[in-house]
Amino acid sequence: MGDGNRGLSGNSNSNHSNNNKPEWLQQYDLIGKIGEGTYGLVFLARTKTPNNRGKAIAIKKFKQSKDGDGVSPTAIREIMLLREISHENVVRLVNVHINHTDMSLYLAFDYAEHDLYEIIRHHRDKVNHGINQYTIKTLLWQLLNGLNYLHSNWIIHRDLKPSNILVMGDVEEPGVVKIADFGLARIYQAPLKSLSENGVVVTIWYRAPELLLGAKHYTSAVDMWAVGCIFAELLTLKPLFQGAEVKATQNPFQLDQLDKIFKVLGHPTVEKWPTLSNLPHWHQDLQHIQGHKYDNTALYSVVHLSPKCPAYDLLSKMLEYDPRKRITAAQALEHEYFRMEPLPGRNALVPNSQGEKVVNYPTRPVDTTTDFEGTTSLQPSQPVSSGNAGSMSGAHVGINRSVPRPMLNMPRMQPQGLAAYNLASQAGMGGGMNPGGIPMQRGVAAQAHHQQQLRRKDTGMGMTGYPPQQKSRRF
Amino acid sequence: MASNFWTSSHYEQLLEQEEVDVVLPLDKEKGITLEDFKLIKMHMANYISKLAQQVKVRQRVVATAVTYMRRVYTRKTMSEYDPRLVAPTCLYLASKAEESTVQAKLLVFYIRKLYSDEKYRYEIKDILEMEMKILEALNYYLVIYHPYRSLSQLLQDAGLNEINMTQQTWGIVNDTYKMDLALVHPPHLIALACIYIASVLRDKDTTAWFEELRVDMNVVKNISMEILDFYENHKMHSEERFNAALSKLPARA
């Protein structure tokens, strides 16, 4: 802890092995690790090439799959989609690299300093006010704009959640939204297998009701449901439907998640959603699923909106039960909400109207002790094991604060009155129950109920916007 | 983009026939002629097809695999990228891209079953290494469009969607992968050429329908001619000639 040499030793370590490294790797300076998931690791690096010197790049390294089956199909899917698409609000794949000696695959993306998970968390835990209306509207508009592009190209994302919605922090595109993580995305024009055969997807809190009820062939409407959930979360800083996940079986029936939805939106009916009766789980557990009757829609009070305002109207159309009636991305972009003041802009983080506070969002924590091989040059003072999530995160925060990271910190504006927010930060941190399904790895699942510890853990580990961080949700 | 062929990497990657019909210097040194080159690719397309039947993947996976293989050989030599390894590996990669993943060990099992020849014998490790090399050779462009998708639509539009006509056209489309057509022409034009040939063979008058289409009929006719030429010369593509061509390549290390 507090070891200022850690960053340097991490760097010198990677420099040392530069000679053995393939040429492509030598075009980057490794800064450190910014994320970890089942697929592998994510690193922050900077380009050394003269025309782009110092440009921040996020490098996602895919492990060889353990089952001896080469490049993971997830990586293949992500590469093949990203190679075809190009849009301002979709993350840009800069390069793909292969290291033949250890058979690892690297995807290089434009680096995004922020993501909605971190932005929401910052407001919830560190700042005692909500996200301003301009920022919410701009984030939502750009998210829909990117999604409209994907959907009109027959691509369903399938795993939208706050941590997958990135926001650029650089000078070229500050405050621009980028949809990321296409590992579960797919082209749906001519599926060879029914969608559900590839494993149930989408983090449970953002999962559409038709999926929860066992729909086999789903559509781009599942992404719109997720956008609705994210919209509500931007408004309230709390996940809208925080169901407890059933992990036991391969295709679990998520009764609790459905119940959370029904409580807020009322019970779905066959009158309003005619194809409901075709969904497998609707019949599966009649007593529970059709037994409770929640009649009153409480959505507007949950999100603190007037039931007559355009924001509420848009939100309720995104959270329409019947996927065929649910608003599309294209329709949503045309909604009245986006035509009234404040109008959405290009930089979501800096309101163009005066008098609005500019919130200074923290930069992503970087673990500078890990090199591209994933080898840690200096162990954190606490061993990585179950039961000490708090100290783990302490180590990470320590790295973040004590190691000089001049390049990372340079472009930031001076925080204005941030100290004042910090003072209040310990107060209003409700709903810290692992938002975004951020990792239960490192054996802390048992403590999931323990908000204080989990919140601190998130400080250290909820740092990647890139990958879905779940261990077990893919299958 | 995924839905629009005209903005896809597939469209951008289309080549001229002259660019496809190039035997790279290293292969030339080994004595590989243009005829040999084509013959080996054709047999490797058959190999992929046979292997696919064993592991039970659909025709679209075969078509993607064959297109990968043909693209690889516009950039890499057969001397360095042994076709006997590239072919199964392309099927392996295509099965992932088309979401019908086949295990490498299953492929290795069926390779042994199909070929007793030592030269075809590759292990899982070889396939996994080659998979990465192929990804690189393809420059990571993996989305491939095929004529199959437009086929049924076009047949229906032409009022030719009875079973015999559909089967015949489908068969001709399958055969186009024995040539390099997919590297040169957009898939819907290949589909039209196949419909054209099938309608001639089955004595269907499609002149009026073709005239109404806003496509370059010269291209469609050229593709048709090439397919017919291929059928004409098919008898010359004997196993012996193929083996003679393949034997010019160096034995693997």
Side-chain angles (χ1 to χ4, degrees):
Chain A
M1 283 298 301
D3 161 8
N5 290 325
R6 197 173 280 156
L8 291 173
S9 78
N11 279 339
S12 67
N13 194 27
S14 66
N15 287 337
H16 172 70
S17 46
N18 253 359
N19 299 335
N20 317 325
K21 278 190 176 151
E23 208 174 312
W24 70 263
L25 225 155
Q26 296 184 32
Q27 68 190 18
Y28 300 112
D29 275 323
L30 174 68
I31 310 293
K33 186 179 81 173
I34 51 173
E36 190 167 1
T38 38
Y39 55 87
L41 303 168
V42 186
F43 300 95
L44 170 60
R46 290 185 183 272
T47 50
K48 291 198 275 193
T49 43
N51 51 340
N52 255 331
R53 190 180 296 277
K55 188 170 170 53
I57 299 289
I59 298 180
K60 188 168 174 176
K61 177 185 182 178
F62 284 93
K63 291 184 256 193
Q64 272 285 305
S65 62
K66 286 198 196 84
D67 50 8
D69 251 312
V71 184
S72 81
T74 310
I76 298 280
R77 212 179 293 174
E78 182 156 16
I79 294 170
M80 71 188 278
L81 284 176
L82 288 168
R83 231 29 197 132
E84 300 292 317
I85 59 186
S86 157
H87 188 269
E88 190 184 17
N89 299 118
V90 173
V91 74
R92 190 172 75 96
L93 180 65
V94 179
N95 238 323
V96 185
H97 304 289
I98 282 174
N99 191 356
H100 290 283
T101 39
D102 72 347
M103 306 253 287
S104 50
L105 183 79
Y106 299 81
L107 304 193
F109 296 95
D110 281 342
Y111 174 70
E113 189 66 80
H114 313 285
D115 59 67
L116 296 195
Y117 174 76
E118 287 298 331
I119 287 173
I120 291 166
R121 195 166 63 92
H122 183 69
H123 279 269
R124 189 182 62 228
D125 298 350
K126 295 268 187 273
V127 179
N128 66 347
H129 62 84
I131 306 173
N132 79 64
Q133 293 311 306
Y134 164 82
T135 297
I136 293 179
K137 196 179 281 186
T138 301
L139 291 171
L140 187 67
W141 192 88
Q142 293 189 15
L143 167 58
L144 286 165
N145 194 35
L147 202 56
N148 181 39
Y149 167 83
L150 294 175
H151 288 174
S152 54
N153 285 289
W154 304 89
I155 294 168
I156 316 181
H157 186 286
R158 303 204 299 179
D159 197 23
L160 288 178
K161 56 185 173 187
S163 60
N164 283 342
I165 317 297
L166 310 183
V167 182
M168 299 300 279
D170 64 0
V171 275
E172 282 165 49
E173 302 180 278
V176 173
V177 170
K178 306 277 175 182
I179 301 173
D181 204 327
F182 287 77
L184 293 174
R186 55 174 298 148
I187 302 170
Y188 61 97
Q189 54 193 355
L192 287 182
K193 283 187 177 175
S194 76
L195 295 170
S196 54
E197 269 177 74
N198 287 299
V200 179
V201 295
V202 182
T203 316
I204 177 171
W205 292 349
Y206 306 92
R207 198 178 292 171
E210 63 270 27
L211 296 182
L212 294 166
L213 287 166
K216 289 223 160 50
H217 296 276
Y218 52 87
T219 63
S220 54
V222 302
D223 285 341
M224 288 308 294
W225 178 274
V227 174
C229 298
I230 293 167
F231 185 15
E233 196 167 330
L234 287 169
L235 291 166
T236 66
L237 309 179
K238 273 192 284 193
L240 181 60
F241 307 122
Q242 271 178 281
E245 183 158 9
V246 184
K247 292 195 174 176
T249 52
Q250 238 217 333
N251 192 359
F253 170 49
Q254 303 289 357
L255 183 64
D256 189 58
Q257 182 64 27
L258 280 167
D259 200 56
K260 292 284 190 302
I261 296 171
F262 295 168
K263 261 182 198 156
V264 174
L265 298 181
H267 221 80
T269 59
V270 181
E271 289 75 50
K272 285 187 204 146
W273 182 2
T275 51
L276 183 60
S277 55
N278 303 333
L279 295 172
H281 296 327
W282 181 247
H283 302 286
Q284 184 178 311
D285 191 353
L286 282 179
Q287 212 183 355
H288 283 103
I289 199 164
Q290 297 185 34
H292 293 268
K293 291 290 176 207
Y294 302 108
D295 294 327
N296 294 330
T297 300
L299 179 61
Y300 60 89
S301 61
V302 171
V303 295
H304 315 298
L305 288 174
S306 145
K308 282 177 190 144
C309 76
Y312 176 75
D313 184 71
L314 177 57
L315 177 65
S316 61
K317 284 174 171 154
M318 290 170 170
L319 298 175
E320 163 66 50
Y321 273 124
D322 188 341
R324 290 180 306 176
K325 294 182 197 153
R326 203 171 297 150
I327 195 168
T328 65
Q331 289 163 349
L333 288 169
E334 297 296 313
H335 194 274
E336 189 194 346
Y337 173 62
F338 294 115
R339 296 186 196 178
M340 44 180 261
E341 295 287 337
L343 293 175
R346 187 171 151 80
N347 184 343
L349 303 184
V350 178
N352 30 22
S353 65
Q354 298 217 326
E356 288 276 15
K357 299 187 200 91
V358 175
V359 180
N360 224 68
Y361 295 102
T363 55
R364 230 171 256 288
V366 183
D367 172 2
T368 50
T369 64
T370 306
D371 66 17
F372 270 126
E373 269 68 58
T375 322
T376 307
S377 57
L378 265 171
Q379 289 298 321
S381 52
Q382 294 290 328
V384 177
S385 63
S386 62
N388 62 356
S391 14
M392 256 310 293
S393 75
H396 280 269
V397 172
I399 289 163
N400 200 22
R401 295 211 177 122
S402 65
V403 175
R405 291 184 298 126
M407 288 201 289
L408 275 179
N409 288 327
M410 214 163 50
R412 303 240 125 234
M413 278 181 294
Q414 273 306 306
Q416 290 164 343
L418 196 68
Y421 300 141
N422 275 338
L423 281 178
S425 71
Q426 296 306 313
M429 36 64 109
M433 228 192 79
N434 194 22
I438 299 292
M440 290 299 185
Q441 71 219 73
R442 315 221 185 230
V444 290
Q447 302 167 341
H449 63 280
H450 197 310
Q451 297 215 347
Q452 178 66 10
Q453 249 185 342
L454 202 70
R455 191 182 64 80
R456 279 159 62 200
K457 175 183 148 43
D458 280 346
T459 314
M461 293 309 294
M463 54 192 165
T464 70
Y466 293 89
Q469 291 249 323
Q470 327 91 316
K471 275 267 174 207
S472 58
R473 291 201 189 135
R474 299 224 152 172
F475 302 102
Chain B
M1 290 199 232
S3 75
N4 186 347
F5 174 75
W6 305 107
T7 55
S8 69
S9 67
H10 183 160
Y11 175 66
E12 279 168 33
Q13 308 251 311
L14 288 181
L15 298 167
E16 296 295 324
Q17 190 66 48
E18 300 80 58
E19 297 173 283
V20 176
D21 290 340
V22 176
V23 180
L24 294 167
L26 193 62
D27 286 346
K28 231 182 223 166
E29 276 172 35
K30 303 282 188 310
I32 300 281
T33 64
L34 182 57
E35 282 314 300
D36 293 338
F37 188 46
K38 290 182 171 179
L39 199 56
I40 294 171
K41 287 192 281 185
M42 188 194 85
H43 273 265
M44 287 304 146
N46 289 342
Y47 179 14
I48 289 172
S49 194
K50 270 195 255 178
L51 206 48
Q53 276 165 26
Q54 298 287 333
V55 297
K56 297 190 173 61
V57 289
R58 292 171 55 164
Q59 182 58 32
R60 196 169 102 190
V61 184
V62 176
T64 297
V66 174
T67 310
Y68 288 168
M69 184 266 293
R70 292 183 179 279
R71 268 195 197 170
V72 166
Y73 289 122
T74 62
R75 292 159 191 167
K76 301 291 177 189
T77 63
M78 292 184 164
S79 310
E80 291 166 298
Y81 286 66
D82 185 351
R84 287 158 292 208
L85 175 57
V86 169
T89 310
C90 284
L91 182 63
Y92 180 60
L93 181 59
S95 76
K96 290 181 186 175
E98 300 285 356
E99 299 193 30
S100 348
T101 305
V102 174
Q103 287 184 312
K105 67 175 179 206
L106 201 64
L107 280 176
V108 169
F109 174 81
Y110 284 112
I111 292 168
R112 294 214 172 142
K113 208 175 145 197
L114 284 173
Y115 294 95
S116 52
D117 186 344
E118 186 69 20
K119 284 178 178 162
Y120 282 83
R121 225 175 238 196
Y122 281 101
E123 304 300 326
I124 295 176
K125 180 178 147 285
D126 302 314
I127 291 181
L128 301 190
E129 278 174 17
M130 183 52 82
E131 182 189 29
M132 295 221 149
K133 286 176 155 186
I134 287 174
L135 271 173
E136 218 166 33
L138 294 172
N139 202 8
Y140 313 100
Y141 288 117
L142 301 174
V143 175
I144 309 285
Y145 290 76
H146 297 294
Y148 302 107
R149 198 151 61 94
S150 36
L151 203 59
S152 51
Q153 232 177 312
L154 289 168
L155 283 171
Q156 192 160 11
D157 188 60
L160 294 170
N161 53 334
E162 78 263 30
I163 186 80
N164 288 336
M165 183 69 190
T166 305
Q167 277 178 353
Q168 177 131 35
T169 319
W170 189 276
I172 298 171
V173 172
N174 289 352
D175 286 337
T176 62
Y177 288 93
K178 294 174 180 173
M179 295 156 265
D180 283 309
L181 289 168
L183 300 191
V184 180
H185 301 288
H188 71 283
L189 293 182
I190 297 175
L192 286 174
C194 295
I195 293 172
Y196 182 71
I197 294 172
S199 65
V200 171
L201 291 174
R202 299 208 153 256
D203 245 347
K204 307 272 184 194
D205 185 9
T206 49
T207 325
W209 181 71
F210 272 107
E211 272 170 8
E212 274 179 37
L213 293 175
R214 287 188 194 171
V215 292
D216 187 344
M217 271 315 279
N218 282 328
V219 180
V220 174
K221 280 181 181 155
N222 286 341
I223 300 171
S224 309
M225 291 303 286
E226 204 175 323
I227 297 169
L228 291 171
D229 278 349
F230 172 82
Y231 284 136
E232 195 112 313
N233 298 324
H234 194 60
K235 48 191 170 294
M236 292 161 58
H237 301 148
S238 69
E239 197 77 17
E240 294 86 66
R241 275 167 164 254
F242 162 67
N243 286 328
L246 206 56
S247 69
K248 294 176 186 173
L249 293 173
R252 71 189 158 112

